[in-house]
Every structure is written in C-alpha cells, then in structure tokens.
C-alpha cells in the first residue's frame, strides 16, 4: 500500500515594497533623525562657578570674561575682565586670548589663537573649563535637560543644595582674593509645617514653587537663589555689602508678606524669617563660616518673633551684636 504524502501549503510572502508600513518604521516616525545636522556651536562650562551653563555661539565675536560687558560672564579666580573671545570666520570657529593675565589654554596648551574642533577643552582662570561642541536640536534639548536635572531643584526649579555649596565656595574665594564684598541670605518659611498639616502637602509644594518664583523676581541676574533644604532657601549676593544686603532681605520679606498665596479658594498667609551674613567680617574666614553666620541669624529672627530680618554686626572693637530689624 502506497504511503500518502503530506502536502504543505507555503504562503507566499509579499515583497518588501508591497508590505504595509508599520507604526514603528523609523522612516515614518523619526524623520528628525535623518534631517538633523549637528551644526550649532556651543560652549558648555564643565568646571568652575558657572558649571553646567550652555552658551550658543551665535555672534561673530563672543567675549568671555568677568567684566560686565562680557557676552559670557564668568566670575572665577584668575579670569580677566575681557579674557578670551570666540570668533566665527566662515565655517571655522577660533578661540583667541585677549591679552589676559593668566592666559587661555586649549587641551592644556597655552594659545594666542587657535581653530576649535569638536570636543576641545578651553581653560581660563584657575579652574574654569569650557567644552566646545556642536549640537543639533535634539542634542540641545537633551543637554539642557541633563543640566537642569543636575543643578536644579525639581520642585521649585531654583538651584539645588549641591550647586549652592559649590558656588558659595567659589564666590568666597573670589571675594577674599579681590577684596570684594559678598553677602549671604538664609530664608525659612514660618510655620510651614502648619501649612502642610492644615492644607495638605500638595498645597505646601505650591507655596514653595510660588515663593521661589516671587523671590527670583526681586533678585539681580548675578544673584544665586537656591533651595537649601525643606522650606529653607539661600541667596548668594555678589558685590553686596551688609547694608545693601539688609535692604534686599527686607524687600523680599515684605514682598512675601504682602503676596496673596491662594489655594482651594482660600488665602494662605505666608511669612519668612531671614538671616543676613556678609563678608568682609573679622570672624568669617571661609565659606563655611559665612553659612554658619547666615543660619544663626536666621534662627535669631525666628526666636525674635518670626517674619523679620536679622543681621550680625561686628563693631570696630570686635564686639558682636545681632540686630533684628523692625518691620516697615
């Protein structure tokens, strides 16, 4: 008896050009990858007081220095007012030293003028390093997100504690070496636990966000606002002596007291206690000392009744007094 052979039916596959395009087809959903061109020149600060800053090199000439007229202003030790410049010449980009005191270095070699290439590292002053790179739009968005995540508080979007501690150290070294004034404000929201317990933590978070935004509007562009932790904030004020820093603190305190914080159709009264420390001060010899003084005076403001500004004053005969300002 003959064996029956099994017959398999083989379904013919459609040709590639006849297959329907799937949603995951990169040609259909990611046209940006094909058209993206990395042709936007950037400087990224890798080290120094401005660490994390991205600067798009758009002008024909970009001046870098610590002077007020610099396009990219960096206040670090050893940086001249007009230290170096970035020059666009056709499709080339050059870095040129501007006769700075301490020189400009590229990849460790001192230069007068040099054409920049992708990844070159420029060093100015004693500790500022900038990386030259080209980005496309997707690179730009990613780098900005990365920078924000590393330097910013995720809730309030002001600088985080780590950035603050690094920056206050750099600012103190600069102020000490160049005999410049430096002030530090510490702020704490009064009875913040009561706000959370009464209205809930989401409302407390909204108060923190709104207050950070309100404070930022009162500050100069060179001031640094950071969330120190919980309901505490810090402000580094470059070039401000004690008197002007005291006035700034009182202006911030009054603005927050007058502001209407609203949540769930209710007005939430919010006040802050502020401590002010300043350099030069015979008893402040480091950034750590400055932080301690600002923190101590802030708590003195709380002990004195809250919703007020407190400063520490050292008399010529080295006697220390703590002044609590009357509210206006």
């Amino acid at each position: 008896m003959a064996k029956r052979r099994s017959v398999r039916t083989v379904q013919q596959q459609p040709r590639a050009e006849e297959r329907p395009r799937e949603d995951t087809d990169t040609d259909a959903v990611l046209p940006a990858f094909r058209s993206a061109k990395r042709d936007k020149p950037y400087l990224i600060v890798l080290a120094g007081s401005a660490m994390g800053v991205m600067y798009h090199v758009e002008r024909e000439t970009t001046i870098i220095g610590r002077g007020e007229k610099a396009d990219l202003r960096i206040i670090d030790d050893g940086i001249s007012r007009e230290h170096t410049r970035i020059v666009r010449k056709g499709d080339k980009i050059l870095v040129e030293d501007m006769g700075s005191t301490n020189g400009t270095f590229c990849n460790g070699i001192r230069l007068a003028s040099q054409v920049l290439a992708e990844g070159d590292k420029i060093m100015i002053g004693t500790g500022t390093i900038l990386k030259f790179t080209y980005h496309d739009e997707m690179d730009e968005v990613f780098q900005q997100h990365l920078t924000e995540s590393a330097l910013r508080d995720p809730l309030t979007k002001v600088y985080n504690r780590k950035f603050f501690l690094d920056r206050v150290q750099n600012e103190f070294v600069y102020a000490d070496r160049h005999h410049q004034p430096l002030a530090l404000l510490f702020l704490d929201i009064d009875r913040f636990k009561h706000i959370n317990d009464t209205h809930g933590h989401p409302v407390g978070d909204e108060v923190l966000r709104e207050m950070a935004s309100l404070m930022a509007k009162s500050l100069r562009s060179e001031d640094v606002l950071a969330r120190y932790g919980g309901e505490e904030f810090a402000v580094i004020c470059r070039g401000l002596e004690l008197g002007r820093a005291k006035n700034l603190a009182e202006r911030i305190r009054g603005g927050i007291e007058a502001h209407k914080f609203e949540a769930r159709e209710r007005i939430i009264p919010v006040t802050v206690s502020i401590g002010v420390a300043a350099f030069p001060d015979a008893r402040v010899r480091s950034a750590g000392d400055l932080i301690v003084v600002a923190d101590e005076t802030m708590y003195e403001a709380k002990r004195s009744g809250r919703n007020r500004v407190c400063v520490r004053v050292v008399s010529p005969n080295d006697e220390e007094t703590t002044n609590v300002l009357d509210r206006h």
Side-chain angles (χ1 to χ4, degrees):
M1 182 177 177
K3 293 183 179 180
R4 181 179 297 177
R5 291 183 300 174
S6 61
V7 178
R8 289 191 304 166
T9 302
V10 179
Q11 186 175 0
Q12 185 176 4
Q13 298 294 320
R15 290 174 296 180
E17 61 269 21
E18 296 174 351
R19 288 199 302 266
R21 190 180 296 272
E22 298 179 1
D23 290 341
T24 56
D25 194 316
T26 55
D27 289 340
V29 299
L30 295 175
F33 280 116
R34 290 184 175 275
S35 59
K37 185 177 180 181
R38 302 181 77 238
D39 57 356
K40 295 182 178 181
Y42 276 86
L43 293 171
I44 303 174
V45 184
L46 300 182
S49 64
M51 184 178 65
V53 169
M54 286 180 60
Y55 185 85
H56 186 193
V57 182
E58 297 180 282
R59 301 181 181 184
E60 289 187 6
T61 301
T62 299
I63 295 175
I64 303 170
R66 64 178 175 86
E68 293 183 359
K69 296 182 179 180
D71 301 304
L72 177 52
R73 192 181 184 199
I74 302 176
I75 307 295
D76 264 354
D77 202 29
I79 295 180
S80 300
R81 293 183 181 276
E82 293 186 350
H83 195 105
T84 190
R85 62 181 166 226
I86 307 298
V87 181
R88 302 186 66 148
K89 291 186 177 179
D91 59 349
K92 296 180 180 180
I93 297 181
L94 292 79
V95 56
E96 299 177 348
D97 186 74
M98 298 181 69
S100 64
T101 302
N102 296 306
T104 300
F105 297 78
C106 185
N107 301 325
I109 301 174
R110 188 163 185 165
L111 60 84
S113 177
Q114 179 176 319
V115 176
L116 288 171
E118 169 69 33
D120 279 347
K121 293 180 176 61
I122 305 164
M123 181 174 177
I124 57 176
T126 58
T128 295
I129 300 175
L130 305 98
K131 177 182 177 181
F132 176 75
T133 185
Y134 288 97
H135 281 339
D136 58 31
E137 291 183 4
M138 297 187 69
D139 288 331
E140 181 181 1
V141 171
F142 174 75
Q143 184 64 44
Q144 287 175 343
H145 177 73
L146 202 64
T147 300
E148 292 294 307
S149 299
L151 305 181
R152 300 279 180 176
D153 171 60
L155 176 65
T156 62
K157 306 306 179 185
V158 300
Y159 288 112
N160 59 27
R161 181 185 179 117
K162 183 183 183 306
F163 179 88
F164 163 76
L165 292 173
D166 290 341
R167 184 63 175 264
V168 74
Q169 177 66 37
N170 288 330
E171 293 285 355
F172 185 86
V173 169
Y174 178 85
D176 186 30
R177 177 162 297 191
H178 295 277
H179 308 290
Q180 295 292 316
L182 176 67
L184 179 62
L185 280 56
F186 260 36
L187 306 87
D188 187 86
I189 301 177
D190 298 325
R191 297 185 175 92
F192 186 68
K193 184 178 184 301
H194 177 73
I195 294 175
N196 278 334
D197 292 345
T198 304
H199 303 282
H201 287 275
V203 171
D205 288 348
E206 185 56 38
V207 168
L208 289 170
R209 279 192 292 264
E210 194 168 344
M211 199 184 84
S213 176
L214 189 65
M215 283 192 293
K217 294 175 183 177
S218 301
L219 302 177
R220 306 169 301 167
S221 59
E222 59 264 44
D223 295 331
V224 176
L225 171 62
R227 186 180 179 191
Y228 192 69
E231 65 270 28
E232 290 187 27
F233 292 83
V235 183
I236 305 170
C237 303
R238 176 194 306 151
L240 280 193
E241 72 283 354
L242 185 62
R244 292 172 63 199
K246 180 176 62 176
N247 293 338
L248 172 61
E250 178 56 30
R251 189 163 64 248
I252 292 172
R253 185 210 62 77
I256 291 171
E257 183 185 27
H259 185 73
K260 292 183 179 180
F261 293 85
E262 298 184 32
R264 300 172 184 172
E265 300 181 351
R266 295 181 61 183
I267 302 297
I268 302 174
V270 178
T271 62
V272 294
S273 298
I274 306 178
V276 182
F279 177 82
D281 180 326
R283 301 188 186 186
V284 173
R285 299 182 179 180
S286 68
D289 290 344
L290 194 67
I291 292 172
V292 168
V293 172
D295 189 57
E296 288 176 348
T297 52
M298 181 189 72
Y299 278 102
E300 182 60 32
K302 284 190 168 297
R303 287 190 293 268
S304 301
R306 299 185 178 88
N307 187 24
R308 58 196 68 222
V309 174
C310 182
V311 300
R312 191 185 79 164
V313 178
V314 180
S315 64
N317 58 0
D318 208 29
E319 291 182 359
E320 180 183 326
T321 59
T322 302
N323 293 348
V324 180
L325 306 186
D326 293 329
R327 287 172 289 182
H328 300 295

